[in-house]
Amino acid sequence: MRRPFIAGNWKMHKAPAEADALAEALKRALADVTAVDIAVAPTFLAIPAVAARLRHSNIGVACQNVAVEIQGAYTGEVSAEMLKTAGVQYAIVGHSERRQLFGDTDAIVGKKVQACFRAGLAAILCVGETLPEREAGQEETVVARQLEAGLAGLSADQVGTVTIAYEPVWAIGTGKVASPAQANDVHAFIRGWLGRYPSFVARNVRIQYGGSVKGSNAAGLLSQPEIDGALVGGAALSVEDFVAIVKAAAG
Ligand code: PEP
């Protein structure tokens, strides 16, 4: 059985003091949850405060992006190694906002996944189609292309530790959630795609759904056999909603 994994992407919200307060509230509210892996992804700036607050808790710290390189003349970038030393355990890589707004190509996303392994961060690789791609029936082609590039060069053992977040772009921040069956179909496709590796890979890889997940719709999504958790954006900023999502995952 795969352990459910709920991660909250705080995006560009919450300066350090506010992020610390949110982390403290979540730490208290979720202290008794043992059956779910939980992580939150603050901005780079708030990572030290949040990592200090969540040390010795059941909530891990994620970052929202990593640089490809280790160090050097890369203005504005933060390396996976630096994030690791700041207390980060997980890295969200290939989020659709990075792909659409900041030029992260499939190849760059693959390099960023490699950077995570180099530094010892657990990668959460985001994949998902846009609305025109879905309307053209291309969701599987797009997701397969993103998986191929994102996981290129990894050993089967490494792929077995990656979390895949299926995030249809048309459902992110739009309030338009994929139906549980729609999401489960693509998750099943992803698990089938992982069948090119030895069987433990498809068995172990956790596939999160992301796209307008809230306290009110989490149970329906998480009850699907191929949905192992959620990557949560807007609702991760609300203690009530995020706690409800984690509790839905705990069953
Ligand atoms: C996300 O950005 O990863 C996300 C799923 O956002 P939202 O939950 O707000 O749709």
Side-chain angles (χ1 to χ4, degrees), residues 3 17 89 108 120 125 130 134 142 150 176 202 212 223 233 248:
R3 202 174 142 79
Q89 294 131 281
I108 290 172
L125 170 63
T130 61
R134 171 153 290 252
V142 170
K176 250 190 221 169
S212 300
S223 66

Side-chain angles (χ1 to χ4, degrees), residues 28 31 41 54 63 96 103 139 156 169 176 201 227:
R28 283 172 191 274
L54 297 178
C63 55
S96 61
E139 61 271 20
V169 180
K176 250 190 221 169
V201 173
I227 300 184

Side-chain angles (χ1 to χ4, degrees), residues 1-250:
M1 271 304 282
R2 293 175 293 274
R3 202 174 142 79
F5 180 19
I6 305 294
N9 175 8
W10 294 355
K11 308 195 184 186
M12 200 172 74
H13 295 285
K14 306 281 177 195
E18 299 166 303
D20 184 32
L22 177 54
E24 169 64 13
L26 292 174
K27 181 177 162 175
R28 283 172 191 274
L30 295 172
D32 60 346
V33 174
T34 54
V36 181
D37 286 342
I38 311 166
V40 294
T43 65
F44 288 140
L45 191 64
I47 282 172
V50 170
R53 178 65 62 193
L54 297 178
R55 194 169 298 134
H56 308 306
S57 80
N58 57 345
I59 307 177
V61 179
C63 55
Q64 302 172 17
N65 184 32
V66 298
V68 168
E69 308 293 342
I70 300 176
Q71 62 175 14
Y74 301 104
T75 302
E77 293 287 278
V78 182
S79 73
E81 283 76 4
M82 292 168 182
L83 291 157
K84 175 83 178 175
T85 64
V88 169
Q89 294 131 281
Y90 304 94
I92 299 170
V93 176
H95 190 279
S96 61
E97 286 153 16
R98 300 290 326 166
R99 293 179 189 263
Q100 293 197 316
L101 305 175
F102 301 104
D104 280 13
T105 61
D106 288 338
I108 290 172
V109 172
K111 287 184 186 164
K112 290 185 173 186
V113 172
Q114 298 272 352
C116 291
F117 278 98
R118 190 184 65 212
L121 296 181
I124 301 173
L125 170 63
C126 301
V127 298
E129 79 287 355
T130 61
L131 187 58
E133 287 165 343
R134 171 153 290 252
E135 285 172 348
Q138 291 170 346
E139 61 271 20
E140 294 184 356
T141 314
V142 170
V143 165
R145 191 197 72 224
Q146 292 171 334
L147 289 171
E148 187 108 34
L151 302 173
L154 299 184
S155 68
D157 282 344
Q158 288 176 319
V159 175
T161 68
V162 171
T163 297
I164 309 286
Y166 169 58
E167 301 208 305
V169 180
W170 47 271
I172 295 183
T174 58
K176 250 190 221 169
V177 62
S179 72
Q182 261 176 333
N184 194 66
D185 281 352
V186 180
H187 283 227
F189 169 76
I190 293 171
R191 207 168 301 286
W193 186 93
L194 292 168
R196 66 193 54 206
Y197 299 100
S199 59
F200 73 89
V201 173
R203 219 172 31 245
N204 291 350
V205 166
R206 292 184 291 191
I207 309 176
Q208 296 174 320
Y209 168 76
S212 300
V213 178
K214 301 185 205 52
S216 55
N217 60 24
L221 290 158
L222 293 167
S223 66
Q224 295 294 309
E226 298 297 348
I227 300 184
D228 305 315
L231 180 53
V232 184
L237 298 169
S238 149
V239 175
E240 194 188 345
D241 252 324
F242 194 69
V243 167
I245 294 166
V246 172
K247 300 229 157 145

